Amino acid sequence: EYLSCHKEENFPGELTVNITYTLTEQNELMVDFSAKSTEDTIVNLTQHSYFNLNGHQEDINHQKVTINADTILETTDELIPTGKFITLKNHTYDFSEPKESPVIIDNTFVLNNHNAATLYGEKSKIKMTVITNQPAVHVYVGGNCFGQIKGKENADYHSTSGICFEAQNFPDAPNHSHFP
């Protein structure tokens, strides 16, 4: 649980956020969020976990990604959504069929249904499925992990050490009336 005080990050009201992580008997990691504010405010919660199914000393280049989306949100150079949608047919980011993980991506995919994405590690034979009740998944690889973060067994984490699947609402939704 986290309590964000009134005006923290310039948002009104006290916001209490609860996150519960559950490991199930079916080998699932479930993440449940809830939030309550004392005033009207904007909340779009997600998690920013990196995944690498072939082990922490491998990069994600040869893992297969599938994303259940026909469109992504168009963004400005600052990654702010314009309100327009880009069709993924014949697009670099068309992951309707499994293909190798990109080494650079930072985009919001408009989901077709709750089965958002899968990641498959060919070396490990491990498959992960992302299921959500949110309308989008933001997929992200890279970041500021350039030899600065040490992992298990003193591994040097770098920009292709993992991939994030951030299930969430559309970013900047309050500024686009047609967004959910």
Side-chain angles (χ1 to χ4, degrees), residues 52-64:
N52 182 331
L53 302 183
N54 285 337
H56 68 281
Q57 294 197 6
E58 301 283 330
D59 55 36
I60 50 108
N61 300 12
H62 301 293
Q63 294 175 55
K64 300 289 186 187

Side-chain angles (χ1 to χ4, degrees), residues 38-110:
T38 59
E39 295 191 35
D40 288 343
T41 192
I42 299 165
V43 177
N44 189 14
L45 302 173
T46 192
Q47 72 167 19
H48 192 76
S49 297
Y50 285 90
F51 294 93
N52 182 331
L53 302 183
N54 285 337
H56 68 281
Q57 294 197 6
E58 301 283 330
D59 55 36
I60 50 108
N61 300 12
H62 301 293
Q63 294 175 55
K64 300 289 186 187
V65 175
T66 308
I67 303 172
N68 191 5
D70 297 324
T71 56
I72 57 174
L73 299 184
E74 179 185 76
T75 60
T76 66
D77 290 341
E78 292 82 30
L79 301 177
I80 306 298
T82 65
K84 296 178 183 173
F85 301 92
I86 298 173
T87 300
L88 290 174
K89 186 173 177 142
N90 300 320
H91 190 281
T92 303
Y93 294 150
D94 180 1
F95 292 98
S96 58
E97 297 293 326
K99 67 183 193 182
E100 289 194 353
S101 173
V103 294
I104 297 173
I105 190 170
D106 196 356
N107 293 86
T108 302
F109 290 77
V110 179

Side-chain angles (χ1 to χ4, degrees), residues 7-165:
K7 294 294 183 182
E8 182 178 329
E9 301 288 331
N10 297 316
F11 288 97
E14 287 188 354
L15 178 70
T16 303
V17 176
N18 285 286
I19 304 172
T20 303
Y21 294 89
T22 305
L23 296 172
T24 72
E25 294 292 329
Q26 292 76 37
N27 203 24
E28 299 168 315
L29 170 62
M30 296 178 62
V31 183
D32 292 304
F33 297 93
S34 66
K36 186 171 184 171
S37 181
T38 59
E39 295 191 35
D40 288 343
T41 192
I42 299 165
V43 177
N44 189 14
L45 302 173
T46 192
Q47 72 167 19
H48 192 76
S49 297
Y50 285 90
F51 294 93
N52 182 331
L53 302 183
N54 285 337
H56 68 281
Q57 294 197 6
E58 301 283 330
D59 55 36
I60 50 108
N61 300 12
H62 301 293
Q63 294 175 55
K64 300 289 186 187
V65 175
T66 308
I67 303 172
N68 191 5
D70 297 324
T71 56
I72 57 174
L73 299 184
E74 179 185 76
T75 60
T76 66
D77 290 341
E78 292 82 30
L79 301 177
I80 306 298
T82 65
K84 296 178 183 173
F85 301 92
I86 298 173
T87 300
L88 290 174
K89 186 173 177 142
N90 300 320
H91 190 281
T92 303
Y93 294 150
D94 180 1
F95 292 98
S96 58
E97 297 293 326
K99 67 183 193 182
E100 289 194 353
S101 173
V103 294
I104 297 173
I105 190 170
D106 196 356
N107 293 86
T108 302
F109 290 77
V110 179
L111 296 175
N112 294 333
N113 60 49
H114 295 308
N115 293 318
T118 60
L119 180 65
Y120 179 71
E122 292 183 319
K123 181 178 179 181
S124 67
K125 305 292 187 231
I126 296 173
K127 181 179 179 182
M128 178 181 84
T129 303
V130 179
I131 300 170
T132 183
N133 62 359
Q134 296 299 298
V137 65
H138 191 89
V139 179
Y140 179 77
V141 170
N144 300 318
C145 305
F146 304 108
Q148 301 173 25
I149 298 173
K150 291 287 186 183
K152 185 170 82 174
E153 299 172 343
N154 210 31
D156 285 319
Y157 288 170
H158 48 81
S159 61
T160 58
S161 289
I163 185 169
C164 293
F165 296 93

